[in-house]
């Protein structure tokens, strides 16, 4: 069902299919109303993945893209988000099938292994309290989190097994990869662009233009738009709104002791011996010297004198500033923080770059800051926490007063008047704005204004607080009159026609090239002129290896696949290709095979790459086999969410 729905989703047949499925599910008693039984997004046999998990995965992928791209996210978001639902559906199906297959093979990890994985999330030391905090922060329970680790591990172990199976790829596969990588291609590329074809497009007649308008009317529909002003209680007033009692401060202090603790601290003297982690003999020598110095320090020799003789750092044994727990690494904390550790202790602390002989000279235990020292800090925290609530309540009161006033007459008040009287922060709208063009803070206000068309005064939740809003002008969605759009319609019609004409000319150029294949009487220059007469721009590229396919259209995945499947000179099958709206006919004019003498030098690298490729092919083959054995169903709305 999954493959059928996906294949025909955007077609008439797909629409009919989905309607039939929906009616069938309705009569079979599926709860469409969000009742107690949640409709699954994806179902594999008896395993159901709900829409909540589906949306969580989508949010995670989006967050990862935002983090990776930063300010460039908005620029690339449309291309990156396209097809994300399908990718998540495929990911859920593949993971579930691999996990089930791993269980059947007895690869399920034991409880001890999962507990070790959990502890790896806490590099500074595992504790039940830290684990509970982690679960609260991630919104997980311990069983659910550990089950997710087990599921991830199952799929990982099966992938590892496939990789082991592919460690020795056949020599034929390695040589084929070498031949493909090192083969050099020369091309004649004929390009037909809509811009070049545009000059051949005639001006549309009045009748043609009106027909085009009727056919594409919805494309020119303007969405509902509003002009608004909105006002909020400014943050400067928050402090005056919130009354903080001494009892509130004391209660916050008692309920949140972790916020006011000073961590345990120590002062140390140390001798630092640098070492080259790549030189084993040097490491052995440094370790031996460190053990000798440690013994002398423990026997009572002055560590500062030893430091002046041996230490590679600039402090040369002088006491450090206060060092907080957790700032020097886990091994340092284990040696110098905890119960029963006394001043005077000397120990070795190893890092990848050096060995440290450290002596504890002073220590402070973890302590709670006095209430009086943090009273104002707590007051500010309470104001920050409670102020939006108070601001929202004040906004609600003002809304009730405002809506009680008449719409006209001496007592009528615009939002601008009210904002001036109550010292609100006013933002005045100066243009009609649709929901799509709204800023994040405007979006809920404009949505509310559109949904409650005809209402002038609004109270809107904008996130952390409420806003008063006044609708100054409202326009329903509409299609502009034909005459208003005439110029745009003409441009769009000619653009559409030029795209179609470009495809037609490219097909003619493709036929011409195929007909002339093997024609030795016609020179390359003559053929080029014939292609140009059809409106094509002709360029040549000489001796490019596949990893050098950087120019358009060679950098297109579709074009690259077709070229690599070409074994002899001639027009590349599937030409013409459409890339970025342009039409390309590719002709391989020469093939230069990979030199045999370079194979041995590249063999090891190619064997590793072939192994990875073979592992992926094995996984793909296994998944295709598993999909034929298991019942897979996807809710149609999962493709659209």
């Amino acid at each position: 069902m999954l493959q059928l729905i996906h294949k025909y989703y955007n077609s008439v047949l797909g629409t009919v299919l989905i309607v039939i499925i929906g009616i069938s599910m309705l009569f079979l008693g599926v709860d469409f109303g969000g009742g107690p039984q949640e409709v699954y997004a994806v179902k594999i046999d008896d395993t159901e993945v709900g829409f909540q998990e589906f949306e969580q995965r989508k949010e995670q992928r989006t967050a990862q893209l935002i983090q990776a791209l930063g300010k460039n996210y908005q620029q690339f978001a449309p291309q990156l988000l396209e097809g994300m639902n399908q990718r998540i559906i495929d990911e859920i199906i593949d993971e579930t099938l691999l996990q089930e297959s791993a269980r059947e093979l007895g690869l399920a990890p034991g409880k001890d292994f999962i507990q070790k994985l959990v502890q790896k999330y806490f590099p500074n030391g595992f504790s039940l309290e830290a684990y509970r905090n982690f679960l609260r922060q991630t919104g997980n329970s311990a069983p659910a989190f550990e089950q997710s680790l087990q599921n991830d591990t199952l799929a990982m172990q099966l992938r590892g097994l496939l990789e082991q199976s592919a460690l020795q790829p056949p020599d034929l596969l390695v040589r084929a990869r070498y031949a493909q990588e090192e083969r050099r291609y020369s091309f004649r590329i004929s390009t037909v662009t809509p811009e070049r074809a545009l000059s051949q497009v005639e001006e549309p007649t009045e009748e043609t233009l009106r027909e085009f308008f009727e056919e594409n009317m919805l494309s020119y529909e303007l969405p509902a738009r509003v002009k608004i002003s909105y006002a909020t209680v400014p943050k400067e007033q928050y402090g005056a709104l919130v009354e903080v009692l001494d009892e509130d401060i004391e209660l916050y202090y008692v309920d949140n002791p972790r916020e006011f603790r000073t961590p345990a601290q120590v002062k140390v003297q140390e001798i630092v011996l640098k070492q080259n982690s790549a030189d084993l003999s040097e490491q052995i020598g440094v370790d031996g010297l460190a053990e000798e110095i440690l013994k002398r320090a423990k026997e009572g020799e002055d560590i500062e004198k030893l430091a002046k003789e041996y230490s590679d750092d600039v402090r040369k044994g002088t006491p450090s500033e206060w060092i907080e727990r957790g700032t020097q690494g886990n091994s340092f904390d284990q040696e110098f923080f905890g119960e029963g550790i006394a001043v005077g202790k000397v120990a070795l602390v190893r890092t990848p770059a050096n060995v440290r002989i450290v002596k504890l000279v002073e220590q402070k235990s973890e302590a709670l800051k006095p209430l009086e020292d943090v009273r104002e800090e707590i007051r500010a925290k309470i104001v920050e926490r409670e102020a939006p609530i108070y601001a929202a309540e004040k906004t609600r009161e003002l809304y009730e007063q405002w809506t009680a006033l008449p719409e006209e007459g001496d007592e009528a008040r615009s939002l601008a008047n009210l904002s001036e009287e109550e010292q609100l922060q006013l933002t005045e709208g100066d243009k009609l704005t649709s929901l799509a063009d709204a800023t994040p803070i405007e979006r809920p206000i404009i949505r509310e204004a559109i949904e409650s068309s005809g209402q002038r005064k609004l109270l809107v939740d904008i996130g952390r607080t409420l806003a008063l809003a006044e609708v100054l002008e409202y326009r329903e969605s509409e299609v502009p009159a034909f005459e208003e759009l005439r110029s745009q319609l003409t441009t769009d019609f000619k653009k559409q026609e030029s795209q179609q004409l470009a495809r037609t000319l490219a097909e003619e150029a493709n036929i011409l090239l195929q007909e002339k294949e093997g024609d030795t009487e016609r020179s390359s220059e003559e053929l080029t002129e014939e292609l140009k007469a059809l409106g094509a721009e002709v360029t040549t590229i000489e001796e490019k290896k596949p990893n050098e396919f950087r120019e358009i259209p060679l950098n297109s995945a579709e074009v690259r696949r077709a070229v690599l499947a070409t074994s002899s000179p001639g027009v590349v099958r599937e030409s013409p290709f459409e890339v970025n709206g342009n039409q390309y006919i590719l002709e391989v004019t020469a093939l230069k095979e990979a030199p045999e003498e370079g194979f041995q030098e590249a063999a090891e690298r190619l064997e590793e790459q072939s192994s990875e490729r073979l592992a992926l092919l094995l996984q793909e083959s296994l998944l295709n086999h598993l999909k034929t054995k298991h019942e897979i169903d996807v809710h149609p709305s999962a493709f659209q969410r």
Side-chain angles (χ1 to χ4, degrees), residues 28-81:
L28 288 171
V30 175
D31 180 11
F32 287 97
Q37 184 177 6
E38 181 191 9
V39 176
Y40 57 80
V42 183
K43 183 178 179 182
I44 301 95
D45 294 333
D46 295 328
T47 302
E48 295 184 359
V49 177
F51 280 105
Q52 182 177 358
E53 181 179 338
F54 184 88
E55 291 299 333
Q56 285 175 348
R57 287 181 182 241
K58 193 169 181 178
E59 288 171 8
Q60 288 171 359
R61 300 297 177 277
T62 304
Q64 289 166 357
L65 289 172
I66 292 172
Q67 184 177 8
L69 295 173
K71 295 179 180 178
N72 297 319
Y73 171 74
Q74 291 298 336
Q75 179 183 352
F76 297 103
Q79 303 97 299
L80 294 170
L81 296 180

Side-chain angles (χ1 to χ4, degrees), residues 507-520:
E507 289 289 355
E508 291 178 12
N510 190 40
I511 292 169
L512 173 65
L513 283 171
Q514 290 179 346
E515 288 176 348
K516 304 305 179 185
E517 278 186 343
D519 185 351
T520 56

Side-chain angles (χ1 to χ4, degrees), residues 59-294:
E59 288 171 8
Q60 288 171 359
R61 300 297 177 277
T62 304
Q64 289 166 357
L65 289 172
I66 292 172
Q67 184 177 8
L69 295 173
K71 295 179 180 178
N72 297 319
Y73 171 74
Q74 291 298 336
Q75 179 183 352
F76 297 103
Q79 303 97 299
L80 294 170
L81 296 180
E82 185 179 356
M84 179 179 282
N85 287 5
Q86 180 63 56
R87 291 194 296 273
I88 292 173
I89 290 167
D90 293 340
E91 175 187 294
I92 290 170
I93 293 170
D94 290 353
E95 284 181 6
T96 305
L97 291 174
L98 288 175
Q99 290 161 11
E100 186 59 36
S101 184
R103 287 191 184 94
E104 291 177 2
L105 291 170
L107 298 178
K111 187 174 181 181
D112 291 344
F113 182 83
I114 296 300
Q115 288 176 349
K116 288 178 181 177
L117 281 182
V118 170
Q119 291 173 10
K120 286 186 177 181
Y121 280 77
F122 304 90
N124 293 327
F126 174 83
S127 69
L128 288 176
E129 183 181 1
Y131 189 27
R132 291 191 194 100
N133 288 336
F134 171 78
L135 293 171
R136 277 196 295 271
Q137 291 169 5
T138 56
N140 257 314
S141 66
F145 177 64
E146 290 170 18
Q147 182 63 48
S148 71
L149 285 180
Q150 186 182 59
N151 289 341
D152 291 344
T153 305
L154 278 167
M156 194 186 310
Q157 287 182 316
L158 184 54
R159 287 190 178 99
L161 184 62
L162 293 173
E163 288 171 5
Q164 288 288 327
S165 303
L167 279 178
Q168 294 294 328
D171 183 65
L172 183 64
L173 180 63
V174 178
R175 287 186 173 277
R177 189 172 185 87
Y178 172 71
Q180 187 182 78
E181 279 192 5
E182 297 300 320
R183 183 180 291 130
R184 294 179 179 272
Y185 298 81
S186 296
F187 300 96
R188 174 165 46 208
I189 301 177
S190 304
T191 307
V192 182
T193 67
E195 290 75 19
R196 289 175 69 92
L198 185 61
S199 61
Q200 301 181 44
V201 177
E202 297 180 354
E203 290 291 324
T205 64
E206 182 76 8
E207 182 182 357
T208 300
L209 200 58
R210 287 189 177 276
E211 286 179 3
F212 180 78
F213 175 57
E214 293 293 333
E215 291 170 1
N216 298 279
M217 187 178 291
L218 290 180
S219 303
Y220 297 95
E221 184 178 43
L222 297 175
R225 292 156 294 152
V226 292
K227 183 163 73 172
I228 56 162
S229 290
Y230 61 92
T232 57
V233 176
K235 287 189 175 181
E236 303 83 68
Q237 295 185 22
Y238 281 9
L241 288 172
V242 182
E243 182 183 5
V244 182
L245 304 176
D246 288 342
E247 292 87 343
D248 298 327
I249 293 174
E250 291 162 8
L251 181 61
Y252 189 98
Y253 180 75
V254 171
D255 286 347
N256 301 277
R258 294 177 64 85
E259 293 185 26
F260 309 109
R261 290 191 185 279
T262 55
Q265 298 174 304
V266 295
K267 285 187 178 182
V268 300
Q269 291 175 284
E270 63 179 330
I271 301 164
V272 179
L273 304 179
K274 293 182 179 179
Q275 64 176 359
N276 182 354
S277 58
D279 189 332
L280 182 59
S281 61
E282 182 179 325
Q283 286 185 50
I284 294 171
V286 171
D287 284 347
L289 178 59
E291 293 290 349
E292 180 187 338
I293 296 171
L294 176 67

Side-chain angles (χ1 to χ4, degrees), residues 498-544:
S498 68
Q499 290 170 341
Q500 181 57 49
L501 181 57
R503 282 191 283 271
T504 301
L505 294 173
E507 289 289 355
E508 291 178 12
N510 190 40
I511 292 169
L512 173 65
L513 283 171
Q514 290 179 346
E515 288 176 348
K516 304 305 179 185
E517 278 186 343
D519 185 351
T520 56
E521 295 182 2
R522 190 180 301 270
S523 70
S524 177
E525 290 76 12
E526 289 175 328
L527 189 55
T528 297
E529 289 305 315
E530 290 188 52
L531 290 168
K532 288 181 179 180
L534 287 171
E537 179 184 346
V538 181
T539 57
T540 58
I541 295 177
E542 301 295 331
E543 294 195 3
K544 291 279 187 180

Side-chain angles (χ1 to χ4, degrees), residues 2 9 108 121 200 271 281 297 319 332 381 475 512 547 563 625:
L2 168 64
Y9 184 72
Y121 280 77
Q200 301 181 44
I271 301 164
S281 61
F332 185 95
K381 287 175 180 285
R475 293 270 188 92
L512 173 65
N547 65 356
V563 169
H625 172 68

Side-chain angles (χ1 to χ4, degrees), residues 336-355:
F336 297 105
F337 292 101
E339 295 294 329
I341 295 174
V343 169
K345 177 178 179 179
V346 184
L348 283 182
V349 177
R350 301 179 188 277
T351 71
N354 53 53
V355 181

Side-chain angles (χ1 to χ4, degrees), residues 429-605:
D430 59 356
K431 62 179 180 179
L432 288 164
T433 305
S434 69
L435 191 59
D437 296 330
T439 65
I441 196 169
E442 291 174 340
R443 198 165 290 128
I445 302 172
I446 290 178
R447 181 183 290 110
E448 182 71 19
I450 291 172
E451 290 175 355
S452 57
S453 57
Q455 190 171 336
R456 185 172 70 87
K457 300 174 181 179
L458 302 171
L459 179 67
V460 185
D461 183 348
I462 59 171
R464 292 198 66 200
T465 188
L466 299 176
L468 297 173
E470 182 176 19
V471 180
L472 305 174
E473 187 178 353
Y474 173 77
R475 293 270 188 92
E476 292 184 346
S477 59
E478 59 181 346
V479 178
F482 173 79
E483 289 303 330
E484 291 181 48
L485 292 170
R486 179 183 289 275
S487 176
Q488 183 63 47
L489 287 167
T490 303
T491 300
D492 293 346
F493 173 82
K494 293 179 74 173
K495 181 179 179 181
Q496 177 179 291
E497 289 297 299
S498 68
Q499 290 170 341
Q500 181 57 49
L501 181 57
R503 282 191 283 271
T504 301
L505 294 173
E507 289 289 355
E508 291 178 12
N510 190 40
I511 292 169
L512 173 65
L513 283 171
Q514 290 179 346
E515 288 176 348
K516 304 305 179 185
E517 278 186 343
D519 185 351
T520 56
E521 295 182 2
R522 190 180 301 270
S523 70
S524 177
E525 290 76 12
E526 289 175 328
L527 189 55
T528 297
E529 289 305 315
E530 290 188 52
L531 290 168
K532 288 181 179 180
L534 287 171
E537 179 184 346
V538 181
T539 57
T540 58
I541 295 177
E542 301 295 331
E543 294 195 3
K544 291 279 187 180
K545 293 195 293 187
N547 65 356
E548 298 170 339
F549 288 1
R550 300 185 184 95
E551 305 94 333
I552 298 173
L554 296 177
N555 57 1
S556 159
E558 180 189 7
V559 173
R560 179 186 173 86
R561 281 194 299 270
V563 169
L564 294 182
T566 301
S567 57
S568 60
V571 178
V572 176
R573 290 183 60 187
E574 302 176 33
S575 290
F577 299 93
E578 184 169 330
V579 180
N580 297 341
N582 297 328
Q583 304 292 323
Y584 296 92
I585 305 99
L586 274 76
E587 182 185 7
V588 176
T589 54
L591 277 174
K592 189 175 181 180
E593 294 298 339
E596 181 61 32
E597 59 269 18
F599 175 72
Q600 291 304 324
E601 184 179 341
E604 185 177 344
R605 173 182 60 82

